Amino acid sequence: MIKGALSAAALVAGLSLSPVAASAAPIIGGATAVDLTATKTFQMLGFGVTTYGTASSFMVGNDIVAAFLVTGGTRNDSTGALVVEHNGSGLNFTSGGNTLSIGNFVIDTAAGIVRGSASANGAALGSNLSLFTLGANSALTLTNEAAAAFTTTLGGPSLAGATIGTATPTVVFGPSGVPEPASWGLMIAGVGFVGASLRRRAGRTARLAAAA
């Protein structure tokens, strides 16, 4: 009897001490809107900005807003932290016939970092580079590594520590890695919602400026 009770207690203790793996929900689609609040700064420096791959862009007020399709990732169900992947898309920055391309972004909210690939005039600089830190209100701040690539490829002053915009992911969760038609519908609706919200914000800002 005592031996049985001790065995049961040992089993319970063993179970309580066993590490429990955090479950992760797969991300199967969606889109991330990036509001390039530094658009005017890029224009002053003579930098052109375009998207490539599956990304698209539009103007909201004076800002370029780029939309990047979400191609995968996970959510930690215990912490809510996201890893959001955007393969096959990115941004091109051009100046004086030179092009710096950054893309295939991976947003890691737990680490507060955005990683991705970069190339200068078609020559690969790396595929898992730290491009931005992710700050308050999803602000995107260039890392020293990314800023050095800008200066080396395009010239101009150092942009180390410069905040160039904000990132707003809208993701779809599901059991499989292949988005269903309904998921793509949600993704498109999400991008439209983000775009409409940004346009409304720009409209309010313009009205307030006119009234001042």
Side-chain angles (χ1 to χ4, degrees), residues 26-31 69-73 85 170-188:
I27 295 173
I28 64 172
L69 296 183
V70 172
T71 58
E85 302 168 357
T170 301
V171 298
V172 178
F173 302 101
S176 109
V178 180
E180 298 294 333
S183 298
W184 286 112
L186 286 172
M187 175 199 71
I188 294 168

Side-chain angles (χ1 to χ4, degrees), residues 74-156:
T74 56
R75 177 189 63 194
N76 184 309
D77 288 337
S78 297
T79 65
L82 300 175
V83 174
V84 187
E85 302 168 357
H86 309 79
N87 293 322
S89 62
L91 293 168
N92 288 323
F93 296 87
T94 57
S95 179
N98 295 310
T99 301
L100 174 67
S101 301
I102 58 174
N104 300 310
F105 302 119
V106 179
I107 299 174
D108 186 336
T109 62
I113 197 80
V114 178
R115 298 183 178 276
S117 61
S119 64
N121 297 318
L125 300 177
S127 60
N128 189 32
L129 305 175
S130 297
L131 299 175
F132 305 100
T133 58
L134 194 63
N137 300 315
S138 299
L140 297 170
T141 300
L142 284 170
T143 63
N144 292 339
E145 190 174 13
F150 270 85
T151 302
T152 302
T153 307
L154 305 177

Side-chain angles (χ1 to χ4, degrees), residues 47-62:
F47 295 172
V49 184
T50 58
T51 57
Y52 72 80
T54 58
S56 59
S57 64
F58 50 92
M59 294 296 298
V60 176
N62 295 317

